[in-house]
Amino acid sequence: MPHVVVIGAGIVGAATAVELLRDGHQVTILEPGEPGGEQSASYGNGTQLNPSSVIPMTAPGVWRKVPGWLADPLGPLAIRWSYLPALLPWLMRFLRAGATEERVAATARALRPLLLDAPERHRRLADEAGVSELITRQGVLYVFPTRVDFEAEELAWRIRRENGVRWLELSDDELRQREPSLSRRYTFGLLVEENGQCRDPGAYVAALVQHAVAQGATLRQEKAVGFRVEGRRLQAVRTPSGEIPADRAVIAAGAWSHTLAASVGDRVPLETERGYHVVITDPDIEPRYPISPSDGKMACVMTPQGLRLAGQVELAGLPAAPNWRRADVLRDFARRVFPDLPADLPASKVKLWMGHRPSTPDGLPCIGPASGCPDVIHAFGHGHVGLTAGATTGRLAADLVSGRQPEINLSPYSAARF
Ligand SMILES: Cc1cc2nc3c(=O)[nH]c(=O)nc-3n(C[C@H](O)[C@H](O)[C@H](O)COP(=O)(O)OP(=O)(O)OC[C@H]3O[C@@H](n4cnc5c(N)ncnc54)[C@H](O)[C@@H]3O)c2cc1C
């Protein structure tokens, strides 16, 4: 039985481990933190499982707004200027990738199969792990101050429609009926019914890993530092405590994957798009739907811990300390979305988090065999859509390990594109 080492226990590593066990492999999971713990992006994200999220951050309509966002202290984007020299090559590629409508449309076409059916795929995984209640499928509500604001995003919604995304348009009154907690400043909405939610992604990932261990996987609390490769064949995964003999390995270490990928021949420009969340316990309101306000660029969602407000993109690198002002922005903005949210929240009711989206400049992940050693499979770089794409990516990684034809064309995700 081939021994496969899965590196990282965020959603991608956890789903990969479950799929590998289904195929009958012997599996070891390496994770220096807790599976689905606070160190991982999978813990603190916006919880949305959105097959509709096919528009990359690089879309022309998006990056044209960048100067305005940077100038606005309440805006959704921040760059730590001391980090700019290191960031510049990634930023240039990022801008190029979104320079034309054709490129954005190509990215959307490449992302759609990876996201399609995500709520259903996650539901099946959650059922297996005994946490079905964590996956819900009520749709996601996109709200706009006016219809004109929706029309200003015409390109993005047109490309979504071309990729099969459908929605219900909601008038002012219909919005109010569906979502009484919403501020009256939002007068137009879209309900994308195919989207879903994982109510507690950290608990979900932990449950998947627990399930994998119950199925025979070994969980080791340490990190991978490299590989021993002889004649392009993997011999072992190296850790600070020694070598783990392995026939195959899957790199699913999120924003930390690039150094491992480089050691097997692929130099991937992977950047952290740092994001934040605020969780307010007992918030006095309970939105029925996950809500994305167009002007806030954030997710407002109910979780078992309370109301979670997740968003922000901060480009500042992996080691920099969090700037909690970015989380305050989310909390302040939420009062524009939910007028009944208390203004003065005691510190005991508010929990803040910062995490690292693993982002390539073109908005597509790397999924496929490493150039220098095909026994090592890349499964990282999912940026803003990794929770959604995690279930399918796990299946694809297992297909590659097992030598099966993957169910979707993987060429857009090749690390060699860089
Ligand atoms: C604020 C915010 C909101 C978001 N909202 C959404 C959303 O609503 N929907 C959505 O689909 N996506 C969303 N995302 C993106 C999503 O969270 C990520 O794309 C996804 O969680 C990435 O999963 P991952 O498993 O690749 O990485 P991670 O979850 O980061 O896991 C990687 C794991 O690898 C471990 N690791 C690191 N180095 C090593 C090593 N050397 N050896 C072994 N292990 C290692 C880490 O400790 C970590 O646990 C959001 C992200 C953020 C930050």
Side-chain angles (χ1 to χ4, degrees):
M1 202 173 2
H3 180 213
V4 190
V5 175
V6 177
I7 301 171
I11 182 58
V12 176
T16 300
V18 171
E19 297 293 346
L20 287 168
L21 287 154
R22 203 193 306 287
D23 286 350
H25 298 291
Q26 186 194 339
V27 175
T28 298
I29 304 167
L30 290 186
E31 167 58 62
E34 291 297 321
E38 293 195 19
Q39 80 288 347
S40 66
S42 300
Y43 171 87
N45 53 60
T47 77
Q48 296 183 6
L49 303 174
N50 292 351
S52 68
S53 292
V54 292
I55 305 298
M57 286 297 286
T58 54
V62 177
W63 62 257
R64 273 193 215 114
K65 293 182 187 153
V66 163
W69 284 339
L70 288 176
D72 178 1
L74 282 182
L77 174 69
I79 294 181
R80 217 166 283 182
W81 297 110
S82 56
Y83 187 61
L84 189 59
L87 179 69
L88 217 46
W90 184 91
L91 210 49
M92 297 311 289
R93 283 176 190 258
F94 174 85
L95 293 178
R96 264 203 308 275
T100 65
E101 185 178 326
E102 290 68 34
R103 287 188 199 170
V104 174
T107 302
R109 278 194 301 276
L111 267 182
R112 180 70 170 163
L114 198 59
L115 307 180
L116 210 57
D117 300 330
E120 177 55 23
R121 286 172 180 270
H122 282 288
R123 191 194 55 75
R124 286 201 295 263
L125 282 176
D127 282 354
E128 269 183 64
V131 287
S132 332
E133 72 283 359
L134 293 183
I135 307 295
T136 58
R137 307 194 56 179
Q138 70 284 59
V140 168
L141 204 51
Y142 297 82
V143 298
F144 302 81
T146 65
R147 199 190 165 91
V148 175
D149 297 293
F150 162 63
E151 286 162 1
E153 296 184 12
E154 186 271 338
L155 171 67
W157 288 98
R158 175 158 49 81
I159 292 176
R160 287 190 183 100
R161 187 188 289 281
E162 286 164 6
N163 282 280
V165 178
R166 298 288 176 263
W167 55 83
L168 284 179
E169 293 195 1
L170 302 177
S171 67
D172 197 359
D173 280 352
E174 288 164 336
L175 254 189
R176 224 60 53 208
Q177 279 162 22
R178 295 237 182 207
E179 196 52 83
S181 61
L182 192 66
S183 160
R184 297 207 77 90
R185 68 193 290 272
Y186 296 101
T187 66
F188 183 75
L190 305 177
L191 177 64
V192 179
E193 289 175 303
E194 69 178 357
N195 291 348
Q197 191 193 3
C198 172
R199 299 187 70 245
D200 188 343
Y204 172 51
V205 171
L208 289 180
V209 171
Q210 213 172 31
H211 173 62
V213 170
Q215 300 289 307
T218 303
L219 173 64
R220 288 177 61 154
Q221 196 168 27
E222 58 183 338
K223 64 178 193 176
V225 293
F227 305 97
R228 182 157 63 80
V229 176
E230 289 171 11
R232 287 173 57 81
R233 296 310 306 259
L234 180 66
Q235 307 298 316
V237 175
R238 294 194 294 108
T239 75
S241 65
E243 288 192 347
I244 303 174
D247 302 295
R248 303 274 194 280
V250 178
I251 303 178
W256 298 268
S257 299
H258 49 310
T259 39
L260 291 167
S263 74
V264 279
D266 291 308
R267 294 180 64 80
V268 175
L270 190 72
E271 190 48 66
T272 159
E273 284 186 67
R274 297 149 56 107
Y276 290 80
H277 86 207
V278 178
V279 171
I280 301 168
T281 48
D282 307 323
D284 295 348
I285 56 159
E286 188 159 348
R288 298 173 182 168
Y289 290 92
I291 298 178
S292 288
S294 67
D295 46 355
K297 300 280 170 241
M298 63 202 273
C300 309
V301 292
M302 281 314 289
T303 69
Q305 294 78 25
L307 176 68
R308 181 184 290 193
L309 313 162
Q312 289 284 310
V313 169
E314 183 190 37
L315 298 169
L318 279 170
N323 172 6
W324 295 120
R325 179 70 198 116
R326 306 311 310 170
D328 293 344
V329 171
L330 294 168
R331 194 188 51 194
D332 294 349
F333 201 93
R335 293 209 57 245
R336 296 196 200 173
V337 183
F338 305 110
D340 293 337
L341 199 61
D344 294 317
L345 290 160
S348 59
K349 288 182 91 178
V350 178
K351 185 168 181 248
L352 309 182
W353 171 86
M354 188 274 287
H356 299 283
R357 295 183 191 87
S359 297
T360 61
D362 62 6
L364 292 173
C366 292
I367 306 171
S371 312
C373 176
D375 296 336
V376 178
I377 307 298
H378 298 315
F380 61 87
H382 294 76
H384 290 246
V385 295
L387 180 67
T388 306
T392 303
T393 301
R395 188 68 209 144
L396 295 170
D399 286 343
L400 291 168
V401 167
S402 305
R404 244 191 335 264
Q405 178 71 28
E407 61 192 69
I408 62 178
N409 171 22
L410 296 188
S411 57
Y413 319 129
S414 165
R417 70 186 187 272
F418 297 111

PDB file of all heavy atoms in Angstrom, residues 130-145:
ATOM      1  N   GLY A 130     -19.513  12.882  10.316  1.00  0.00           N
ATOM      2  CA  GLY A 130     -20.489  12.980  11.415  1.00  0.00           C
ATOM      3  C   GLY A 130     -20.813  14.406  11.829  1.00  0.00           C
ATOM      4  O   GLY A 130     -21.257  14.635  12.955  1.00  0.00           O
ATOM      5  N   VAL A 131     -20.580  15.383  10.918  1.00  0.00           N
ATOM      6  CA  VAL A 131     -20.885  16.778  11.266  1.00  0.00           C
ATOM      7  C   VAL A 131     -21.767  17.429  10.188  1.00  0.00           C
ATOM      8  O   VAL A 131     -21.547  18.578   9.788  1.00  0.00           O
ATOM      9  CB  VAL A 131     -19.587  17.605  11.495  1.00  0.00           C
ATOM     10  CG1 VAL A 131     -18.917  17.225  12.801  1.00  0.00           C
ATOM     11  CG2 VAL A 131     -18.603  17.450  10.319  1.00  0.00           C
ATOM     12  N   SER A 132     -22.782  16.676   9.743  1.00  0.00           N
ATOM     13  CA  SER A 132     -23.666  17.170   8.667  1.00  0.00           C
ATOM     14  C   SER A 132     -24.235  18.549   8.965  1.00  0.00           C
ATOM     15  O   SER A 132     -24.455  19.342   8.054  1.00  0.00           O
ATOM     16  CB  SER A 132     -24.862  16.244   8.472  1.00  0.00           C
ATOM     17  OG  SER A 132     -24.572  14.953   8.834  1.00  0.00           O
ATOM     18  N   GLU A 133     -24.465  18.812  10.252  1.00  0.00           N
ATOM     19  CA  GLU A 133     -25.143  20.068  10.608  1.00  0.00           C
ATOM     20  C   GLU A 133     -24.295  21.307  10.268  1.00  0.00           C
ATOM     21  O   GLU A 133     -24.804  22.425  10.238  1.00  0.00           O
ATOM     22  CB  GLU A 133     -25.498  20.068  12.109  1.00  0.00           C
ATOM     23  CG  GLU A 133     -24.336  20.230  13.078  1.00  0.00           C
ATOM     24  CD  GLU A 133     -23.480  18.963  13.277  1.00  0.00           C
ATOM     25  OE1 GLU A 133     -23.792  17.917  12.662  1.00  0.00           O
ATOM     26  OE2 GLU A 133     -22.500  19.037  14.035  1.00  0.00           O
ATOM     27  N   LEU A 134     -23.007  21.098   9.985  1.00  0.00           N
ATOM     28  CA  LEU A 134     -22.147  22.266   9.708  1.00  0.00           C
ATOM     29  C   LEU A 134     -22.315  22.808   8.289  1.00  0.00           C
ATOM     30  O   LEU A 134     -21.894  23.929   8.000  1.00  0.00           O
ATOM     31  CB  LEU A 134     -20.671  21.914   9.958  1.00  0.00           C
ATOM     32  CG  LEU A 134     -20.297  21.624  11.408  1.00  0.00           C
ATOM     33  CD1 LEU A 134     -18.807  21.352  11.539  1.00  0.00           C
ATOM     34  CD2 LEU A 134     -20.704  22.787  12.310  1.00  0.00           C
ATOM     35  N   ILE A 135     -22.881  22.015   7.391  1.00  0.00           N
ATOM     36  CA  ILE A 135     -23.028  22.471   6.001  1.00  0.00           C
ATOM     37  C   ILE A 135     -24.487  22.842   5.742  1.00  0.00           C
ATOM     38  O   ILE A 135     -25.382  22.018   5.945  1.00  0.00           O
ATOM     39  CB  ILE A 135     -22.592  21.375   4.994  1.00  0.00           C
ATOM     40  CG1 ILE A 135     -21.180  20.860   5.325  1.00  0.00           C
ATOM     41  CG2 ILE A 135     -22.675  21.885   3.553  1.00  0.00           C
ATOM     42  CD1 ILE A 135     -20.061  21.868   5.188  1.00  0.00           C
ATOM     43  N   THR A 136     -24.715  24.070   5.315  1.00  0.00           N
ATOM     44  CA  THR A 136     -26.086  24.501   5.014  1.00  0.00           C
ATOM     45  C   THR A 136     -26.133  25.036   3.582  1.00  0.00           C
ATOM     46  O   THR A 136     -25.112  25.420   3.017  1.00  0.00           O
ATOM     47  CB  THR A 136     -26.568  25.595   5.998  1.00  0.00           C
ATOM     48  OG1 THR A 136     -25.672  26.692   5.907  1.00  0.00           O
ATOM     49  CG2 THR A 136     -26.624  25.080   7.415  1.00  0.00           C
ATOM     50  N   ARG A 137     -27.332  25.049   3.013  1.00  0.00           N
ATOM     51  CA  ARG A 137     -27.447  25.351   1.580  1.00  0.00           C
ATOM     52  C   ARG A 137     -28.574  26.333   1.314  1.00  0.00           C
ATOM     53  O   ARG A 137     -29.388  26.117   0.435  1.00  0.00           O
ATOM     54  CB  ARG A 137     -27.693  24.051   0.816  1.00  0.00           C
ATOM     55  CG  ARG A 137     -26.679  22.979   1.131  1.00  0.00           C
ATOM     56  CD  ARG A 137     -26.756  21.875   0.148  1.00  0.00           C
ATOM     57  NE  ARG A 137     -26.593  22.383  -1.213  1.00  0.00           N
ATOM     58  CZ  ARG A 137     -26.605  21.624  -2.284  1.00  0.00           C
ATOM     59  NH1 ARG A 137     -26.778  20.353  -2.180  1.00  0.00           N
ATOM     60  NH2 ARG A 137     -26.446  22.151  -3.481  1.00  0.00           N
ATOM     61  N   GLN A 138     -28.596  27.420   2.080  1.00  0.00           N
ATOM     62  CA  GLN A 138     -29.714  28.351   1.941  1.00  0.00           C
ATOM     63  C   GLN A 138     -29.472  29.441   0.905  1.00  0.00           C
ATOM     64  O   GLN A 138     -30.306  30.290   0.684  1.00  0.00           O
ATOM     65  CB  GLN A 138     -30.039  28.991   3.304  1.00  0.00           C
ATOM     66  CG  GLN A 138     -28.989  29.971   3.826  1.00  0.00           C
ATOM     67  CD  GLN A 138     -27.755  29.303   4.396  1.00  0.00           C
ATOM     68  OE1 GLN A 138     -27.059  28.553   3.717  1.00  0.00           O
ATOM     69  NE2 GLN A 138     -27.448  29.588   5.637  1.00  0.00           N
ATOM     70  N   GLY A 139     -28.308  29.445   0.262  1.00  0.00           N
ATOM     71  CA  GLY A 139     -27.965  30.513  -0.672  1.00  0.00           C
ATOM     72  C   GLY A 139     -27.229  31.636   0.035  1.00  0.00           C
ATOM     73  O   GLY A 139     -27.123  31.645   1.273  1.00  0.00           O
ATOM     74  N   VAL A 140     -26.685  32.560  -0.742  1.00  0.00           N
ATOM     75  CA  VAL A 140     -25.982  33.723  -0.195  1.00  0.00           C
ATOM     76  C   VAL A 140     -26.619  34.977  -0.793  1.00  0.00           C
ATOM     77  O   VAL A 140     -26.953  35.016  -1.981  1.00  0.00           O
ATOM     78  CB  VAL A 140     -24.471  33.660  -0.513  1.00  0.00           C
ATOM     79  CG1 VAL A 140     -23.776  34.989  -0.206  1.00  0.00           C
ATOM     80  CG2 VAL A 140     -23.806  32.529   0.292  1.00  0.00           C
ATOM     81  N   LEU A 141     -26.795  35.983   0.065  1.00  0.00           N
ATOM     82  CA  LEU A 141     -27.457  37.216  -0.335  1.00  0.00           C
ATOM     83  C   LEU A 141     -26.399  38.298  -0.609  1.00  0.00           C
ATOM     84  O   LEU A 141     -25.587  38.599   0.260  1.00  0.00           O
ATOM     85  CB  LEU A 141     -28.353  37.649   0.839  1.00  0.00           C
ATOM     86  CG  LEU A 141     -29.552  38.525   0.603  1.00  0.00           C
ATOM     87  CD1 LEU A 141     -30.459  37.977  -0.498  1.00  0.00           C
ATOM     88  CD2 LEU A 141     -30.338  38.640   1.914  1.00  0.00           C
ATOM     89  N   TYR A 142     -26.423  38.828  -1.841  1.00  0.00           N
ATOM     90  CA  TYR A 142     -25.523  39.927  -2.220  1.00  0.00           C
ATOM     91  C   TYR A 142     -26.362  41.197  -2.216  1.00  0.00           C
ATOM     92  O   TYR A 142     -27.373  41.263  -2.933  1.00  0.00           O
ATOM     93  CB  TYR A 142     -24.921  39.671  -3.604  1.00  0.00           C
ATOM     94  CG  TYR A 142     -24.069  38.417  -3.607  1.00  0.00           C
ATOM     95  CD1 TYR A 142     -24.658  37.159  -3.740  1.00  0.00           C
ATOM     96  CD2 TYR A 142     -22.689  38.486  -3.420  1.00  0.00           C
ATOM     97  CE1 TYR A 142     -23.892  35.999  -3.695  1.00  0.00           C
ATOM     98  CE2 TYR A 142     -21.925  37.331  -3.370  1.00  0.00           C
ATOM     99  CZ  TYR A 142     -22.532  36.098  -3.505  1.00  0.00           C
ATOM    100  OH  TYR A 142     -21.775  34.959  -3.443  1.00  0.00           O
ATOM    101  N   VAL A 143     -25.981  42.182  -1.413  1.00  0.00           N
ATOM    102  CA  VAL A 143     -26.831  43.373  -1.287  1.00  0.00           C
ATOM    103  C   VAL A 143     -26.092  44.618  -1.770  1.00  0.00           C
ATOM    104  O   VAL A 143     -24.872  44.756  -1.576  1.00  0.00           O
ATOM    105  CB  VAL A 143     -27.351  43.544   0.160  1.00  0.00           C
ATOM    106  CG1 VAL A 143     -28.206  42.342   0.543  1.00  0.00           C
ATOM    107  CG2 VAL A 143     -26.224  43.725   1.170  1.00  0.00           C
ATOM    108  N   PHE A 144     -26.850  45.502  -2.416  1.00  0.00           N
ATOM    109  CA  PHE A 144     -26.293  46.709  -3.044  1.00  0.00           C
ATOM    110  C   PHE A 144     -27.103  47.917  -2.562  1.00  0.00           C
ATOM    111  O   PHE A 144     -28.331  47.811  -2.427  1.00  0.00           O
ATOM    112  CB  PHE A 144     -26.445  46.622  -4.573  1.00  0.00           C
ATOM    113  CG  PHE A 144     -25.782  45.414  -5.178  1.00  0.00           C
ATOM    114  CD1 PHE A 144     -26.421  44.173  -5.163  1.00  0.00           C
ATOM    115  CD2 PHE A 144     -24.518  45.508  -5.767  1.00  0.00           C
ATOM    116  CE1 PHE A 144     -25.821  43.049  -5.719  1.00  0.00           C
ATOM    117  CE2 PHE A 144     -23.920  44.382  -6.315  1.00  0.00           C
ATOM    118  CZ  PHE A 144     -24.565  43.156  -6.302  1.00  0.00           C
ATOM    119  N   PRO A 145     -26.441  49.058  -2.348  1.00  0.00           N
ATOM    120  CA  PRO A 145     -27.224  50.247  -1.974  1.00  0.00           C
ATOM    121  C   PRO A 145     -28.321  50.529  -2.997  1.00  0.00           C
ATOM    122  O   PRO A 145     -29.480  50.762  -2.627  1.00  0.00           O
ATOM    123  CB  PRO A 145     -26.171  51.362  -1.925  1.00  0.00           C
ATOM    124  CG  PRO A 145     -24.901  50.647  -1.558  1.00  0.00           C
ATOM    125  CD  PRO A 145     -24.986  49.314  -2.277  1.00  0.00           C
TER     126      PRO A 145
END
